[in-house]
Amino acid sequence: MGCTSCGTANGSKPGGCKSNGGCSTGGCNRMNTYDWLRNLPIADMDSYCNVVEVSFNKGTRKDFFRNTTVHFFEKGDLVTVEGISGFDVGEISLTGEIVRLQMKKYGVKEANPDMKKVLRIATDRDLDQRNTNKQREPEAVIRSRAIARQLKLDMKISQVEMQADGRKATFFILLMAA
């Protein structure tokens, strides 16, 4: 069962993610993962997975973070995490044992000492700062496209993602074929 925006009406073209209602996740985000281990009881708290998966920018980017806090997070919680020389704000997308399976799938070691940490539940100040920097993204796309055109670079800047604290911007580009 797909999301309502994917369905077709009277044989017309589908809306939403154009998966013809076959995404079966209940949403248009292809990076969604269903936590089928969620309702299993935890036998031993010492073996509980202290790593969570956090998604950024509506699920376009995900990463694993060590939960060093005493808080047990739920899917959908907004958290502040370590970023590059600062912090970022993301949404918890997976917790518990399913994270271990995802880490194994992507070749990430749970004992990795370099894994960044969850700092805290996102505060109102964190969210305000993130929203302020998200509003800067469209202008950054326009300015970077103008600079690329001025320098005659063979690329198209498709998106700019600002870190929540505004200290880092990631530019997503498409290289044009020669």
Side-chain angles (χ1 to χ4, degrees):
M1 174 169 172
C3 58
T4 57
S5 65
C6 292
T8 58
N10 300 331
S12 64
K13 291 191 176 191
C17 65
K18 312 256 188 289
S19 71
N20 295 324
C23 61
S24 74
T25 63
C28 281
N29 188 349
R30 289 186 178 158
M31 292 188 64
N32 281 349
T33 305
Y34 179 72
D35 186 356
W36 50 274
L37 295 174
R38 178 184 175 113
N39 294 327
L40 290 178
I42 301 170
D44 183 12
M45 287 306 288
D46 292 333
S47 69
Y48 183 77
C49 184
N50 288 322
V51 177
V52 294
E53 184 184 70
V54 178
S55 71
F56 302 93
N57 206 21
K58 298 179 182 172
T60 59
R61 179 173 60 93
K62 292 184 177 183
D63 207 349
F64 299 104
F65 292 87
R66 187 168 315 287
N67 180 10
T68 57
T69 68
V70 294
H71 189 82
F72 287 103
F73 296 110
E74 294 288 324
K75 181 177 178 174
D77 288 347
L78 293 174
V79 292
T80 301
V81 297
E82 288 181 333
I84 308 282
S85 72
F87 70 88
D88 208 351
V89 175
E91 181 180 339
I92 299 285
S93 55
L94 288 177
T95 62
E97 292 303 308
I98 193 77
V99 176
R100 278 198 176 117
L101 294 175
Q102 287 294 96
M103 291 173 65
K104 184 177 179 182
K105 176 180 176 183
Y106 293 111
V108 177
K109 301 287 184 205
E110 189 173 347
N112 182 358
D114 297 329
M115 186 178 291
K116 292 188 168 40
K117 298 175 183 76
V118 174
L119 299 174
R120 62 186 172 271
I121 291 184
T123 64
D124 290 338
R125 184 170 183 231
D126 295 337
L127 296 174
D128 289 342
Q129 197 169 5
R130 178 185 72 164
N131 292 339
T132 300
N133 287 312
K134 287 291 178 194
Q135 291 172 354
R136 295 173 50 200
E137 289 177 355
E139 177 63 25
V141 170
I142 293 168
R143 289 185 62 203
S144 59
R145 284 178 180 171
I147 292 169
R149 195 174 321 115
Q150 183 181 20
L151 295 174
K152 296 182 173 108
L153 299 175
D154 237 2
M155 67 173 66
K156 179 182 178 190
I157 295 156
S158 62
Q159 180 184 358
V160 174
E161 183 182 332
M162 300 285 250
Q163 189 169 284
D165 61 2
R167 293 184 182 197
K168 177 187 152 212
T170 304
F171 294 81
F172 295 89
I173 62 170
L174 301 170
L175 297 176
M176 309 306 274

